[in-house]
Amino acid sequence: MPKETTHRLPGTVRPEKYTIELRPDLTGFTFRGDEFIAIRVLQPVKMIVLNASELEVTQATLQGRDGRLVPAKKIDQGKGTQRLRLTFGTLIPKGAATLHLAFTGILNDELSGFYRSRYTMANGTEGYMASTQFESTDARRAFPCWDEPAAKATFDLSLVVPNGMAAVSNTPIVQETDLGDGTRLVRFAETPRMAPYLLAFVLGPLEAIKGATREGTKIGVWALPDRIAHGRWGLEESIRVLEYLNEYYGIPYPLQKLDHLALQDFAAGAMENWGAITYRERILLFDPATSSAQTRQNIVDVIAHETAHMWFGDLVTMAWWDDLWLNESFATWMGTKTVSALHPEWEMWTQFLDAETVRGLVLDGLRSSHPIEVPVKDPAEIREIFDEISYSKGASVLRMLEQFLGEASFRRGLRKYLRAHSYGNARTEDLWRALEAASGQPVRGLMGTWTRQTGFPLLDVKVTRKDGNARITLSQSRFLYGHIIRVLKEKTRWKVPVNVARAGLRKPTSFLMEKGTASRSLGRSRRSPDEDWIKVNAGQSGFYRVNYPREEWDRLRRAVATGGLDARDRIGLQNDAYSLMLGGYLPATTFLELTSAYRDEDDATAWRLIADSLQDFETLIANDRYLDRFDAYGRDLFRPAGERSGWDPKPGEGHLDALKRTTVLSRLGHYADLDVLDQAAKRFARYLRDPASLHPDLRGVVYALVAQEGDEATYETLWGLEQKAALQEEKVRLLVALTRPRDKRLLEETLRRSLTDAVRSQDAVLVITNVATSRPGLGRDLAWSFVKENWDELYRRYAPSGFLIRRLVEIAQVFATPEAAKDVERFFRAREAPEVHRMVRQSVERIRVNAAWRMQNGKELARWFASHQG
Ligand SMILES: [Zn+2]
């Protein structure tokens, strides 16, 4: 039984059932609530302590087994502690009791708790609706509760809803009563035992389209009536996703229905409320006339991630937020697995490298990263860990583990774990134990090295070749970008599943590296000595980086140029080279020469990661005089791919061809390829006369390039289109375009407008970060100054969500001078902002790495670019 601490409620009283009635007022932005909580007192107490925040509790009464009503003597609302302490002047005996509370609260505008949202329809109709976002610790802003993931209880919810509005919650509606005053009382079925952060309710002028799975679960997609037709794709896919997961988990989906709701104001991408998943509109709605292939994919991907949570996270919940990673990593991994099964042609495991693995590696290469399993206490600390470690690194090590154990053992272990903890809570250890039992492998010992230690290994490869035989020797040390500043030997060791590919061999050589070094014979080559190559981390399912001697890099570069490596290996090689270069393990020119070998590349994800690495590279050299030479290098690299893709879809081409076209054309335009800019201008002119003429996949590219080259008039045209656009996907594309002008005054104007009512709060963050990163030489100073000047407002708006405020601090990472690092430190030293504590340290470390890199590489690069004229 946990004692009360600053971050945990005392374990003396347990909630069993909440009966809640809420009356929101959508004009005054408040609500009134009335709640009966069936509790079990586990040991006699004088005081009942639960969570409440920003609520005004007006009445508290306790009814014991004897039926007597005891009003609270003292209601201590504990300002700032998010706790409600109720004293009844008598010792409350062990056993069952009912707590009755009446309270009022605020429909806030902070996208968390019970919040208001302004909806806008295509015909100009506007108004307010209300929805919830409780994860991690904001259920307490809607009703007093034991707001901890292990305090599972059932919920019997009723809402007073204005006529003309729909109401949706976790379970189906069981009763509606007309109250005769233009409202009705809507009561939902009692939920199963669940954590309070998974409760949700939305009321608004929404409509649904509906379907059902073959098992009979009712599925609904909800949106504003003017756009509900665009829910079709999401509906069809969500049915397939649920059917797949039913089968994979071997446990039928536990609720009667599953709704997906498209909301215009939403902080995260989506939220896995049990049975009522909420989404940003642009992650659920697909308009065939204007939505891109990327959106089509994102919708399925996010639906799969959230639906995976219905079991993993919702049916079985982490015992405390320390194990958040398990929820998020698992859903990320499972989401990819699901989409990969439903759409094999999308090559999701290759895209996973870009979406997850690389992002995890990038953050985890910093000394200021943190272990996957990390102790967290208060709400600010909890918010801080919704990051690339909890999602991306965690998902990547699960992928590594599944590959190591085999898909069948992994799935058996997982089913065991879910069955054992259904409607309850579990810890990371419980999953490892189930996987050990299913596989007979020492999972705990292996995974502990990945989840309890910060960072990941760099494998240094030595190769000895003799008479066609080759032997590799690997040694591991922690990879750190800070290596460029100071070489530090660390004793950290990982248990590394290693796969090695070799020219001419179909199957990789696999083994588990348990010590600091390992050596293996790879046998005789089937290729001529010149064509032989060796690639470690074959298939890139390992979460680590690999470095080779110069001669081996040369062999691999030739293999890339001649198409000898698989796509994932080509991707891994190029991405490792970038990171090794930034960390000072590899000369910058080796990276640039290797990357030049990708001119004939045909994989969409490879192009995206090449584009990302060069985008990062640009932040390092953004103010150097050879920047124009770098542009020429970029044009040279991307041009053949641009020509192969062309502007118009070819008959029979696939989804990945569409993604690739978008990437390469937008990069070519960024590097000022005249043909591409010319095409963009022509297509935009045609679009203004005939909007249907512009293919959805080209809209983002064309808007951005026209804005990049355009004047004030073009800028205002794009702004007008943005204001007029009905769907958020289109709005966001246009907003991003407005961060592209080369004219600083226009960029300033974009920043200024981002915080006005014309731009939704959640989208402003995207605007500001894009100004900073897309052309850092031009925008980073503007964006960073803007963040500093508007910090108080930005903090008020975005700190409650956690990750949005972190994105804004992350902007600083595009700087590359010691002065910038000092400036960031100085700014935050003077400010109380616990949600970004870690991000500030990470940003400062990143800037110092960038600055050291510039010091060491500046001269050599100037020479290299001078001798490589595009
Ligand atoms: Zn999730």
Side-chain angles (χ1 to χ4, degrees):
M1 200 179 293
K3 277 219 168 90
E4 183 177 6
T5 62
T6 49
H7 64 283
R8 298 295 285 267
L9 295 171
T12 45
V13 176
R14 202 172 58 205
E16 296 200 320
K17 177 181 174 180
Y18 295 85
T19 306
I20 307 170
E21 187 181 307
L22 295 172
R23 281 171 189 267
D25 169 4
L26 288 166
T27 42
F29 303 136
T30 57
F31 60 89
R32 277 194 292 138
D34 204 56
E35 160 181 57
F36 292 87
I37 314 174
I39 56 173
R40 182 155 296 274
V41 180
L42 301 176
Q43 73 184 47
V45 286
K46 285 187 189 149
M47 192 199 292
I48 294 178
V49 188
L50 60 164
N51 294 114
S53 176
E54 296 170 17
L55 298 175
E56 185 68 38
V57 177
T58 51
Q59 192 196 328
T61 320
L62 189 73
Q63 185 169 32
R65 260 181 311 182
D66 57 5
R68 215 159 47 89
L69 292 176
V70 186
K73 270 233 159 68
K74 192 174 163 209
I75 302 175
D76 172 4
Q77 318 245 9
K79 284 263 174 287
T81 65
Q82 306 196 355
R83 267 160 218 228
L84 177 65
R85 290 166 191 282
L86 305 170
T87 324
F88 293 90
T90 155
L91 198 68
I92 307 165
K94 261 170 78 161
T98 303
L99 184 62
H100 173 216
L101 300 167
F103 53 91
T104 58
I106 310 157
L107 280 179
N108 70 64
D109 65 347
E110 293 162 10
L111 310 175
S112 58
F114 193 13
Y115 69 91
R116 65 182 189 259
S117 164
R118 185 161 188 80
Y119 64 84
T120 341
M121 289 193 245
N123 65 6
T125 312
E126 287 189 326
Y128 281 95
M129 52 181 282
S131 44
T132 57
Q133 167 62 37
F134 290 162
E135 191 180 19
S136 312
T137 55
D138 291 312
R140 65 190 67 170
R141 292 166 87 178
F143 55 94
C145 58
W146 278 259
D147 197 5
E148 297 187 349
K152 288 196 169 185
T154 67
F155 295 85
D156 182 334
L157 174 74
S158 300
L159 293 175
V160 176
V161 182
N163 292 337
M165 283 200 176
V168 183
S169 183
N170 307 70
T171 48
I173 293 173
V174 288
Q175 198 179 15
E176 297 198 56
T177 319
D178 192 339
L179 299 178
D181 59 353
T183 65
R184 65 198 198 282
L185 184 68
V186 178
R187 182 165 175 207
F188 298 92
E190 185 175 342
T191 70
R193 259 171 64 81
M194 60 184 270
Y197 81 89
L198 292 168
L199 193 72
F201 33 94
V202 175
L203 55 159
L206 302 178
E207 281 181 13
I209 50 172
K210 296 195 170 172
T213 62
R214 56 176 174 247
E215 296 86 358
T217 306
K218 294 192 180 73
I219 310 287
V221 169
W222 296 79
L224 291 171
D226 66 339
R227 60 203 68 197
I228 185 60
H230 305 324
R232 190 55 56 189
W233 170 250
L235 179 66
E236 284 163 10
E237 289 296 302
S238 68
I239 292 170
R240 299 178 68 204
V241 164
L242 196 68
E243 289 172 349
Y244 175 83
L245 289 169
N246 269 327
E247 201 170 305
Y248 184 88
Y249 288 127
I251 299 174
Y253 172 69
L255 305 177
Q256 291 172 43
K257 63 95 178 167
L258 175 56
D259 284 313
H260 304 268
L261 297 111
L263 303 179
Q264 289 186 323
D265 285 313
F266 195 73
M271 173 65 207
E272 70 267 23
N273 313 298
W274 213 8
I277 304 173
T278 43
Y279 298 76
R280 277 198 187 184
E281 182 192 288
R282 69 187 165 95
I283 300 180
L284 188 58
L285 300 186
F286 184 86
D287 171 11
T290 62
S291 291
S292 66
Q294 185 66 54
T295 294
R296 177 192 291 277
Q297 178 185 312
N298 291 349
I299 290 171
V300 189
D301 198 25
V302 178
I303 288 176
H305 174 111
E306 303 306 335
T307 309
H309 274 309
M310 297 296 110
W311 288 260
F312 207 109
D314 296 5
L315 179 62
V316 179
T317 309
M318 74 238 136
W320 181 250
W321 300 102
D322 295 16
D323 281 319
L324 168 77
W325 85 274
L326 197 55
N327 259 12
E328 292 310 342
S329 305
F330 184 85
T332 303
W333 170 85
M334 188 75 238
T336 308
K337 195 170 180 71
T338 305
V339 183
S340 166
L342 301 182
H343 298 278
E345 72 288 2
W346 291 0
E347 303 280 358
M348 289 307 287
W349 287 115
T350 305
Q351 296 200 51
F352 182 82
L353 296 176
D354 165 45
E356 310 301 338
T357 308
V358 164
R359 288 156 55 89
L361 289 167
V362 164
L363 173 51
D364 212 24
L366 295 177
R367 188 171 289 286
S368 50
S369 178
H370 63 86
I372 286 179
E373 290 187 70
V374 60
V376 287
K377 298 190 177 93
D378 57 54
E381 281 182 2
I382 295 167
R383 275 178 221 145
E384 249 194 330
I385 56 164
F386 282 77
D387 67 2
E388 287 82 358
I389 298 301
S390 298
Y391 283 73
S392 302
K393 180 183 180 182
S396 304
V397 300
L398 287 178
R399 161 87 172 147
M400 181 165 71
L401 180 64
E402 187 210 21
Q403 298 288 296
F404 180 71
L405 298 179
E407 295 188 26
S409 303
F410 192 89
R411 168 161 143 169
R412 252 196 330 273
L414 186 68
R415 289 176 164 193
K416 213 172 142 65
Y417 164 87
L418 288 172
R419 275 195 304 270
H421 303 284
S422 287
Y423 302 100
N425 298 80
R427 310 220 46 152
T428 300
E429 285 285 306
D430 298 316
L431 178 61
W432 297 161
R433 220 169 284 128
L435 290 169
E436 277 189 352
S439 68
Q441 296 276 358
V443 174
R444 270 179 290 178
L446 172 71
M447 290 307 279
T449 69
W450 296 95
T451 60
R452 298 201 169 149
Q453 306 186 124
T454 310
F456 57 84
L458 167 63
L459 300 194
D460 242 308
V461 184
K462 297 278 174 287
V463 182
T464 39
R465 286 194 169 75
K466 202 176 168 193
D467 308 331
N469 284 304
R471 183 170 193 88
I472 55 164
T473 305
L474 305 177
S475 52
Q476 56 164 306
S477 59
R478 181 173 171 191
F479 175 92
L480 281 169
Y481 289 109
H483 175 85
I484 196 160
I485 301 169
R486 196 150 52 102
V487 179
L488 286 171
K489 285 274 177 239
E490 291 213 1
K491 289 227 175 66
T492 322
R493 292 285 176 266
W494 286 263
K495 295 193 175 174
V496 190
V498 178
N499 299 310
V500 184
R502 186 162 187 206
L505 295 184
R506 287 243 309 278
K507 260 183 73 107
T509 307
S510 301
F511 57 94
L512 183 67
M513 179 177 180
E514 300 197 70
K515 301 236 169 70
T517 59
S519 191
R520 282 289 183 288
S521 166
L522 299 179
R524 284 187 79 79
S525 170
R526 297 188 193 167
R527 295 280 173 85
S528 72
D530 281 358
E531 289 175 345
D532 188 25
W533 51 258
I534 290 161
K535 161 77 176 46
V536 177
N537 199 6
Q540 293 297 126
S541 59
F543 191 78
Y544 50 87
R545 303 272 189 203
V546 185
N547 198 1
Y548 304 87
R550 175 83 214 199
E551 188 205 325
E552 297 300 317
W553 277 113
D554 287 343
R555 287 172 179 276
L556 287 162
R557 191 189 66 232
R558 288 197 298 272
V560 167
T562 55
L565 290 165
D566 286 346
R568 286 178 208 162
D569 288 325
R570 295 197 300 272
I571 289 168
L573 206 60
Q574 199 271 341
N575 199 267
D576 277 359
Y578 181 77
S579 271
L580 291 165
M581 174 207 80
L582 186 56
Y585 297 92
L586 197 69
T589 51
T590 306
F591 163 73
L592 289 168
E593 277 158 16
L594 174 77
T595 302
S596 298
Y598 286 73
R599 287 167 55 110
D600 295 329
E601 178 59 58
D602 63 359
D603 184 82
T605 304
W607 277 117
R608 186 169 290 185
L609 277 160
I610 291 168
D612 287 351
S613 67
L614 293 184
Q615 177 75 30
D616 281 355
F617 193 89
E618 189 176 328
T619 69
L620 299 169
I621 61 165
N623 296 112
D624 288 316
R625 63 198 144 74
Y626 47 84
L627 186 64
D628 56 335
R629 295 283 168 78
F630 173 72
D631 281 352
Y633 172 91
R635 286 195 297 273
D636 248 29
L637 178 61
F638 282 91
R639 191 172 290 129
E643 281 162 6
R644 286 195 299 274
S645 277
W647 281 80
D648 298 305
K650 297 180 182 63
E653 74 169 30
H655 173 75
L656 292 173
D657 294 307
L659 299 190
K660 184 167 59 185
R661 173 176 300 113
T662 309
T663 305
V664 298
L665 292 181
S666 86
R667 281 292 92 188
L668 275 168
H670 177 82
Y671 296 125
D673 181 282
L674 294 178
D675 290 342
V676 166
L677 294 178
D678 185 50
Q679 268 297 322
K682 283 191 183 128
R683 284 172 189 256
F684 186 67
R686 202 184 316 152
Y687 162 78
L688 290 176
R689 293 190 306 272
D690 172 18
S693 69
L694 188 54
H695 191 278
D697 289 327
L698 294 177
R699 287 181 175 227
V701 182
V702 165
Y703 299 158
L705 297 182
V706 165
Q708 172 185 303
E709 302 302 313
D711 57 9
E712 201 168 333
T714 316
Y715 180 93
E716 293 301 347
T717 304
L718 289 164
W719 175 258
L721 289 169
E722 194 280 334
Q723 291 291 297
K724 240 180 37 214
L727 283 184
Q728 295 208 327
E729 180 188 356
E730 179 77 349
K731 278 182 167 302
V732 164
R733 277 199 287 247
L734 285 155
L735 281 174
V736 167
L738 292 166
T739 68
R740 295 296 199 265
R742 290 175 188 272
D743 180 341
K744 281 196 176 187
R745 278 179 319 116
L746 295 177
L747 287 180
E748 276 168 343
E749 186 55 22
T750 299
L751 288 169
R752 191 189 65 75
R753 290 181 191 184
S754 73
L755 289 190
T756 64
D757 286 343
V759 175
R760 282 189 189 269
S761 182
Q762 73 218 9
D763 298 330
V765 175
L766 190 73
V767 171
I768 301 167
T769 51
N770 264 277
V771 169
T773 54
S774 57
R775 198 172 296 276
L778 207 61
R780 64 184 166 196
D781 288 316
L782 295 178
W784 183 240
S785 301
F786 184 81
V787 167
K788 287 194 290 185
E789 277 157 30
N790 294 283
W791 179 256
D792 291 342
E793 169 62 8
L794 294 170
Y795 187 74
R796 185 195 72 79
R797 285 185 180 202
Y798 303 121
S801 76
F803 70 92
L804 289 174
I805 193 73
R806 281 207 315 276
R807 289 275 162 272
L808 291 171
V809 176
E810 198 179 12
I811 287 178
Q813 302 196 358
V814 295
F815 286 105
T817 62
E819 296 73 39
K822 285 203 193 87
D823 177 60
V824 174
E825 279 182 323
R826 205 179 309 123
F827 183 78
F828 285 103
R829 207 174 294 136
R831 273 158 193 88
E832 190 62 39
E835 291 83 357
V836 296
H837 190 78
R838 251 183 235 285
M839 182 54 89
V840 170
R841 277 188 295 140
Q842 288 160 0
S843 297
V844 168
E845 183 179 349
R846 175 81 60 198
I847 300 171
R848 295 228 157 90
V849 166
N850 293 347
W853 183 92
R854 290 186 63 225
M855 285 283 294
Q856 290 182 28
N857 290 281
K859 282 205 181 106
E860 194 196 345
L861 275 180
R863 263 198 305 278
W864 192 86
F865 277 114
S867 62
H868 287 74
Q869 303 198 22

